[in-house]
Amino acid sequence: QFKSWFENFRRVPASKSRSNITIKSRIIEKLSKEFSEYLKSDGVRLPKEATKVSSCAPSANTESDDEWGSDEDDVEQDEISFPEMTQSIETAIHELGGSVIPKLNWSSPKDATWINGGTLKCQYPGDVYLLLKSSDFVMHDLLTIGKNQENNVSDCHLVLRKWCNLHASMEFRCFVYNTNLVAICQRNHTQHYKHVVRDRMLFRSQIMDFFDDYITENFRLENYIFDVYIDKQERVWLIDFNVWGRQTDGLLFEWDELDQLAGLPIVESGVSPPEMLGDLDNAHPVIRVVETENAIRHDPLASYRAPTDAVDLATVGGAEFEEFMKLCENPKF
């Protein structure tokens, strides 16, 4: 879970060359059982104090077209309201520069970006609620956590991370077994990037140094996976941790391959024997990238790029689909 590692990496010891190695974040802990039930309930209704969302384009005709509505607004219903939660989200958004990315204990609602203009970027509390309410990934977290609820408080927590416009080509997934970095691969395996192919051994070296300098001393598990980002200044940033196991996507590696790599002799970083210098892919850590356009993989999120109703309507076509598209131009859900 995010909070189990974030505090250890939020502040770097003064003896290190950098003061920060991960993205600034705020954690809203111990979400109420009522809030968890709200997220699990059917339909998408936003709290009364958080109806403003970024995904509804403003119109010259009205002043309120950026507010999330409902066909049932005229029907008397119990009001939904989480004023303290909304205030906490507003405060976090302000403290983190005006835009955030939300996630629960493990998952971000990346399967629901279609409802937020194709992005996880949230500028208003309503954006956060909208993404969380529309996500199957978030629902999975809630159902997993639900068994551990006590009294009126759940083990669920909301994480808000500072929005950063990261280039997908510079994200990498790293695999650690028995405290040894055994494999690295391109995070976005649905695209071919020439510069990644060209500079992959440089990226490998930078990640190895980052792992030795910052990860090994501060993470207590022996087997795990972590994601990193390399910026234009060639600094490596820690994005997240995942469990070592088949429930985590191996991306360009099959899990049988990773299991095999975990059992191979480890070559310590920077001291590869001379006979291996010409074939560093055979040394640990193995780095794998999308070599050619023909090697790209299927995007696992492709099936989440539109609501199933939209797919069904597009298949049928005709007047119903045209009416749906008009509704999308000025949404009233």
Side-chain angles (χ1 to χ4, degrees):
Q1 298 187 41
F2 182 86
K3 69 176 183 179
S4 68
W5 66 262
F6 180 69
E7 288 301 319
N8 288 340
F9 293 92
R10 185 166 64 94
R11 294 186 180 91
V12 177
S15 59
K16 300 294 184 180
S17 61
R18 292 169 56 186
S19 60
N20 185 28
I21 61 168
T22 191
I23 298 172
K24 293 181 180 180
S25 306
R26 297 291 184 270
I27 303 175
I28 302 174
E29 297 190 68
K30 301 290 184 181
L31 303 185
S32 68
K33 185 175 180 180
E34 285 79 11
F35 183 72
S36 296
E37 291 302 318
Y38 158 71
L39 292 181
K40 289 187 287 186
S41 64
D42 291 337
V44 180
R45 294 175 59 210
L46 301 185
K48 65 178 183 179
E49 67 279 355
T51 57
K52 188 173 185 177
V53 294
S54 302
S55 56
C56 295
S59 169
N61 297 326
T62 69
E63 297 181 355
S64 60
D65 281 341
D66 58 349
E67 294 189 354
W68 184 268
S70 171
D71 288 339
E72 300 177 351
D73 282 347
D74 296 331
V75 180
E76 185 175 349
Q77 300 183 60
D78 293 335
E79 285 188 327
I80 297 173
S81 182
F82 300 101
E84 293 183 3
M85 170 67 69
T86 301
Q87 183 58 55
S88 296
I89 294 173
E90 285 181 346
T91 300
I93 291 174
H94 175 73
E95 292 176 346
L96 295 173
S99 300
V100 299
I101 297 175
K103 66 177 296 182
L104 290 193
N105 298 40
W106 294 281
S107 305
S108 64
K110 55 187 177 182
D111 60 316
T113 56
W114 59 269
I115 206 169
N116 191 48
T119 180
L120 288 171
K121 181 179 181 180
C122 296
Q123 298 175 280
Y124 307 106
D127 298 336
V128 175
Y129 291 124
L130 186 60
L131 280 169
L132 296 179
K133 279 287 291 175
S134 305
S135 171
D136 290 340
F137 294 175
V138 166
M139 179 64 75
H140 179 268
D141 275 13
L142 291 168
L143 295 177
T144 301
I145 297 165
K147 297 179 181 179
N148 298 320
Q149 287 181 343
E150 296 181 3
N151 300 324
N152 202 41
V153 177
S154 76
D155 291 329
C156 180
H157 58 264
L158 173 63
V159 177
L160 299 173
R161 312 204 73 184
K162 180 181 176 65
W163 165 259
C164 301
N165 191 19
L166 305 182
H167 195 288
S169 68
M170 298 305 292
E171 295 184 66
F172 298 88
R173 174 154 290 183
C174 309
F175 303 84
V176 178
Y177 187 82
N178 196 24
T179 70
N180 293 295
L181 181 60
V182 298
I184 302 169
C185 78
Q186 180 179 325
R187 184 71 178 82
N188 180 16
H189 59 352
T190 67
Q191 297 291 329
H192 165 64
Y193 303 103
K194 292 182 180 179
H195 70 281
V196 173
V197 176
R198 181 190 66 227
D199 296 331
R200 61 179 175 175
M201 299 313 293
L202 171 62
F203 300 149
R204 173 183 181 270
S205 177
Q206 292 168 343
I207 293 171
M208 290 169 70
D209 290 341
F210 179 81
F211 174 73
D212 290 339
D213 291 343
Y214 297 103
I215 303 297
T216 54
E217 296 178 358
N218 294 311
F219 201 67
R220 65 180 183 272
L221 299 181
E222 294 184 349
N223 309 324
Y224 55 91
I225 295 167
F226 66 99
D227 294 334
V228 297
Y229 180 80
I230 303 177
D231 67 16
K232 292 180 179 179
Q233 287 74 44
E234 299 186 349
R235 296 174 301 181
V236 182
W237 295 87
L238 175 62
I239 302 299
D240 206 354
F241 282 95
N242 291 284
V243 296
W244 173 281
R246 295 174 186 265
Q247 64 268 50
T248 302
D249 194 343
L251 301 174
L252 292 172
F253 290 99
E254 299 296 332
W255 267 99
D256 288 342
E257 293 179 295
L258 291 169
D259 290 340
Q260 184 179 13
L261 286 170
L264 293 176
I266 307 300
V267 178
E268 296 182 3
S269 61
V271 292
S272 300
E275 63 270 20
M276 299 187 72
L277 293 179
D279 189 16
L280 281 175
D281 272 356
N282 289 327
H284 280 68
V286 174
I287 184 166
R288 187 171 289 178
V289 301
V290 178
E291 300 273 359
T292 67
E293 294 284 354
N294 293 331
I296 64 174
R297 303 290 184 91
H298 169 72
D299 186 352
L301 294 177
S303 59
Y304 295 101
R305 286 179 176 160
T308 54
D309 289 346
V311 176
D312 293 340
L313 283 170
T315 302
V316 174
E320 290 186 359
F321 183 68
E322 291 180 5
E323 182 178 349
F324 174 76
M325 292 305 296
K326 290 178 181 178
L327 180 63
C328 289
E329 294 175 1
N330 187 18
K332 291 289 182 182
F333 291 88

